[in-house]
Amino acid sequence: MRDTLRRPPPTRRSWAEPFRIKMVEPVRTTTREQRERAIREAGYNTFLLRSEDVYIDLLTDSGTSAMSDWQWAGMMLGDEAYAGSKNFYHLEEAVRKYYGYRYVVPAHQGRGAEHILSRVLIKPGDVIPGNMYFTTTRLHQELAGGTFVDVIIDEAHDPASEHPFKGNVDLDKLERLIREHGAARIPYLSIAATVNMAGGQPISLANLREVRRLAEHHGIRIILDATRIAENAYFIQQREPGQENRPVAEIVRELCSLSDGATVSAKKDALANIGGFLAVNDEQVYDEARNLVVVYEGLHTYGGMAGRDMEAVARGIAESMEDEHIRARVGQVEYLGNLLADWGVPIVKPIGGHGVFLDARAMLPHIPQTQYPAQALTAALYLDSGVRAMERGAVSAGRRKETGEEYLPKLELVRLAIPRRVYTQAHMDVVAESVYFVHQEREKIRGLRMTYEPRYLRFFQARFEPVE
Ligand code: F0G
């Protein structure tokens, strides 16, 4: 039978890319033998592979997006003055317009902003509640003497739960924590939109409003991780009653208005290859952050970025909030996720904003979590097709600061993060087919033993070998 006859009649699709491609970058396929050598040399850690040995790179959506012609044109207008670059003022203008915060401190990337914020606001012994940890965010909170406590709803830890807002804060957990420690020990609530480690899951507007009410009652600040807030706002538009007719940009503004400041990695939503910033409304916090930024990042009008990078970020922020862009961006992620779900591969539901997360615990029940099933699955996927993913399970979670014990998180995931505006639908098909065949042969995958463990953020540089 001819292929066309087997397909159901078409329905009109809801999205397509709102751009066309005018420059391409060749990618290379490899043989199985080449990949076997490469992954062995990389200690079974996809962070240690050379990018040239990767066919489709879904390691991260961070700094990997394709910039628009308008952003590239802006790169040529870089004002590389040490002080007072005009591009900084464009960035400041964009942050004020799209996020609504008064003061902006640029940083070389998100963790630079997290470092400064943590040093300004956290005192030793403080407790920082948040909707699930993020690796760099929690580490900077700990290095400043604080302890992160997870107050996300239980559904977030269950890959199968279809809750539409798995990034929501559990208000009872939060209230109990405030009662237990007292508001004076809580410098701020650390709220991510969307929640990366939960699978790119959004927080609802209704929930953030409630969190705000509680925080105001106790005089506690809210600091957003607004790194992927446009994706969060898109989910609110799609899922939250009464929000369906609002532009994404307007929802982003409202989310930010419910907070006192934000740290942002401009390498995600904002479509830039490097950059980030801290934005706050409180003048005193701004003053202290401006003092610290010159020590760790650079002058307060560049913070570690070149002028041209600040211009790319300023323009990227504007593009990231366009409804058509974000619909196609999340639509592509959902396309991949739906293929996998239809083929019986266990994934985190609902499908997230920036990637599809495979449930390695469900897929590889024969591998104990102490042998890092998600890490083993990323290696197996690379071996099959040269697709590079990232472990988001026990290796990423690391060790408890007090006891040195390994965290064994409920979520043992492999993330297929989709760079923005980079890959085609055929690439998504190749990825889905590879995951499908790896899933078919999953009993053959063996666990791993860690042979080298770095002290901080171990997932980046750890090395492994297969367990016999
Ligand atoms: N916050 C979130 C939610 C992130 O996802 C990241 C980075 C950061 C902060 C730190 O920003 O990398 O610019 O210093 N996430 C990348 C990822 C690394 O692959 O998810 P950064």
Side-chain angles (χ1 to χ4, degrees):
M1 210 195 286
R2 278 189 30 226
D3 212 30
T4 46
L5 296 181
R6 275 194 264 118
R7 290 177 184 256
T11 50
R12 285 184 197 272
R13 55 177 305 132
S14 58
W15 63 272
E17 291 78 2
F19 56 82
R20 52 188 174 184
I21 298 165
K22 72 170 145 195
M23 190 190 283
V24 296
E25 176 187 359
V27 290
R28 192 168 78 109
T29 55
T30 45
T31 64
R32 172 106 195 171
E33 268 172 4
Q34 286 170 325
R35 293 194 293 276
E36 273 169 4
R37 183 156 26 85
I39 195 76
R40 203 177 330 109
E41 283 174 3
Y44 296 85
N45 184 349
T46 48
F47 278 104
L48 301 178
L49 287 168
R50 288 170 186 243
S51 142
E52 280 187 318
D53 294 329
V54 173
Y55 175 37
I56 297 174
D57 201 348
L58 307 187
L59 182 71
T60 177
D61 63 324
S62 179
T64 53
S65 298
M67 292 206 295
S68 66
D69 52 3
W70 190 55
Q71 283 178 292
W72 277 108
M75 296 283 281
M76 299 305 289
L77 304 175
D79 170 1
E80 306 306 342
Y82 188 89
S85 159
K86 70 178 178 198
N87 310 113
F88 167 74
Y89 296 103
H90 295 165
L91 172 62
E92 189 181 58
E93 216 174 283
V95 173
R96 285 183 176 155
K97 176 172 173 193
Y98 289 99
Y99 302 89
Y101 301 112
R102 224 165 288 149
Y103 304 110
V104 185
V105 179
H108 77 285
Q109 59 183 75
R111 70 198 72 179
E114 291 168 353
H115 174 213
I116 288 167
L117 176 84
S118 300
R119 288 182 83 119
V120 172
L121 291 183
I122 298 172
K123 293 183 299 303
D126 280 354
V127 171
I128 303 98
N131 52 352
M132 200 173 274
Y133 84 102
F134 183 71
T135 53
T136 59
T137 319
R138 183 179 66 190
L139 179 59
H140 281 300
Q141 291 163 351
E142 288 177 350
L143 290 173
T147 301
F148 175 82
V149 181
D150 188 2
V151 293
I152 204 166
I153 56 171
D154 289 338
E155 286 87 341
H157 294 280
D158 173 9
S161 162
E162 301 257 10
H163 192 293
F165 291 104
K166 285 164 95 172
N168 281 358
V169 170
D170 183 326
L171 293 151
D172 290 335
K173 283 186 199 169
L174 178 57
E175 251 189 306
R176 248 178 285 136
L177 196 77
I178 297 173
R179 222 173 305 131
E180 188 186 334
H181 295 277
R185 289 270 66 149
I186 302 179
Y188 63 96
L189 309 180
S190 179
I191 305 296
T194 57
V195 181
N196 190 351
M197 301 306 278
Q201 304 295 329
I203 182 172
S204 72
L205 199 48
N207 184 253
L208 189 58
R209 286 184 187 139
E210 289 296 312
V211 173
R212 182 66 176 178
R213 197 162 309 151
L214 189 62
E216 260 174 8
H217 177 73
H218 291 281
I220 302 172
R221 287 189 182 88
I222 295 179
I223 302 291
L224 291 180
D225 183 333
T227 293
R228 297 186 183 86
I229 201 168
E231 290 168 9
N232 197 114
Y234 176 72
F235 285 129
I236 288 173
Q237 186 196 61
Q238 296 299 304
R239 296 177 188 169
E240 196 159 341
Q243 301 299 319
E244 58 277 2
N245 295 322
R246 294 178 74 190
V248 162
E250 191 182 305
I251 300 172
V252 168
R253 272 296 293 250
E254 184 175 350
L255 288 168
C256 293
S257 76
L258 296 166
S259 76
D260 302 281
T263 54
V264 173
S265 166
K267 302 171 70 174
K268 284 82 165 174
D269 261 2
L271 297 160
N273 299 127
I274 194 71
F277 56 87
L278 166 65
V280 292
N281 289 329
D282 182 324
E283 193 175 350
Q284 235 172 320
V285 175
Y286 169 62
D287 269 349
E288 288 194 38
R290 211 167 43 150
N291 266 302
L292 278 181
V293 79
V294 295
V295 181
Y296 295 104
E297 302 281 315
L299 195 72
H300 62 280
T301 54
Y302 76 86
M305 279 185 281
R308 53 181 173 270
D309 296 327
M310 291 190 282
E311 190 62 34
V313 173
R315 293 179 180 213
I317 288 170
E319 290 183 2
S320 75
M321 309 269 170
E322 284 168 14
D323 284 67
E324 276 203 29
H325 158 74
I326 200 78
R327 188 183 307 120
R329 189 283 183 282
V330 177
Q332 186 179 41
V333 176
E334 286 177 342
Y335 173 81
L336 174 63
N338 284 328
L339 274 183
L340 292 173
D342 289 351
W343 293 344
V345 177
I347 62 169
V348 173
K349 297 280 198 53
I351 296 160
H354 65 303
V356 177
F357 290 66
L358 310 177
D359 184 356
R361 185 197 281 272
M363 211 157 141
L364 306 173
H366 60 286
I367 303 180
Q369 201 174 9
T370 49
Q371 292 179 13
Y372 313 120
Q375 188 77 32
L377 184 55
T378 57
L381 183 63
Y382 173 75
L383 273 174
D384 181 72
S385 58
V387 169
R388 169 154 73 171
M390 184 194 289
E391 192 264 10
R392 294 274 82 157
V395 181
S396 294
R399 294 180 181 275
R400 279 174 208 285
K401 148 177 119 149
E402 314 81 37
T403 62
E405 264 177 301
E406 279 194 306
Y407 287 106
L408 293 175
K410 285 207 185 107
L411 297 177
E412 178 69 25
L413 308 175
V414 169
R415 184 183 74 174
L416 303 163
I418 315 298
R420 296 162 188 78
R421 311 192 289 207
V422 171
Y423 290 113
T424 66
Q425 193 156 335
H427 284 127
M428 294 301 109
D429 290 337
V430 169
V431 172
E433 287 158 14
S434 176
V435 173
Y436 173 79
F437 286 113
V438 169
H439 182 243
Q440 292 288 91
E441 304 261 288
R442 59 194 180 277
E443 275 107 31
K444 290 190 195 150
I445 300 174
R446 286 178 300 160
L448 297 170
R449 176 173 37 242
M450 204 181 295
T451 57
Y452 166 66
E453 180 174 358
R455 185 145 67 113
Y456 297 120
L457 302 173
R458 63 181 189 172
F459 55 95
F460 283 131
Q461 291 148 344
R463 300 185 71 84
F464 304 84
E465 63 186 20
V467 172
E468 287 316 310

